[in-house]
Amino acid sequence: MFDGLKEEITAVKMRDPAARGTLEVITCYPGFWAIIFQRIAHWFWIKNLPFWGRFVSHLSRFLTGIEIHPGAQIGKRVFIDHGMGVVIGETAIVGNDVLIYQGVVLGGTSLSKGKRHPTVEDGVVVGSGAKVLGNITLGKSSKIGAGSVVLRDVPPGTTAVGVPSRIVQEKRNCVMSLDHDLPDPVTEAVDLLLKRQKTLEDQVELLNKKLNIQSKHLEKNPEIEEIFNEY
């Protein structure tokens, strides 16, 4: 039990440079306590004591602002940063070493009793305010941009942004990294336009050179010059 607590505290320190010590993590990090409460609630849930599971979950929501259904399966070293407004549904599965920011929803799109919430594999980063909906999978070490709405599977090692989300970057390997920088689609679009503009400018310059060469050739031909003069 104590080894598990030490592991959770270490995970917070690794993922948040603002964490200055163990006491601060224990007393001032709602995401840490939300995970601890969820472990207790899930224990009641799997022991067929759903009322007490829901009661502990509700208490956790009141104290931390984070709502995790007791039926959700949460892996090791999961860190919910800040966490206010995070909602994780009953059939959600969250792997190890996952980082979730505030306002994230792992929600369902179906009223069926079966698997209706996302599966988040190891090493995934889910940005602030992202909504991941339905029985879909976020592949290992993938990243979800802030404010994105994800309705389809995200392949391992890729980055998804937008509403609805689209894949904007792929990694050659899926090794988890603590570098959580996400690409900026606006910057990428501007870069693409600038490259296109440069291509068009080069083409115009080439056409001007060809026209200059042809005009010089026409000037040396008196018959063609006479025709142009008539017009």
Side-chain angles (χ1 to χ4, degrees), residues 11 16 39 43 52 64-65 73 80 88 109 114 118-119 124 126 135 148 156 164 168 173-174 177 194 210 213 229:
D16 187 2
R39 307 271 190 231
W43 185 87
W52 292 108
T64 67
Q73 301 177 43
I80 302 175
I88 300 177
T109 57
T119 296
V124 172
V126 188
N135 182 19
S148 300
V168 296
N173 57 62
C174 299
S177 170
L194 290 174
K210 289 183 178 180
I213 292 173
N229 290 334

Side-chain angles (χ1 to χ4, degrees), residues 7-8 11 15 39 75-79 95-99:
E7 195 172 36
E8 299 295 347
R15 288 169 174 77
R39 307 271 190 231
K76 298 179 180 179
R77 299 176 299 279
V78 173
F79 177 37
N96 301 326
D97 303 301
V98 171
L99 175 57

Side-chain angles (χ1 to χ4, degrees), residues 108-126:
T109 57
S110 170
L111 298 179
S112 67
K113 297 273 186 189
K115 181 77 165 67
R116 60 190 186 279
H117 295 96
T119 296
V120 182
E121 295 185 345
D122 297 350
V124 172
V125 178
V126 188

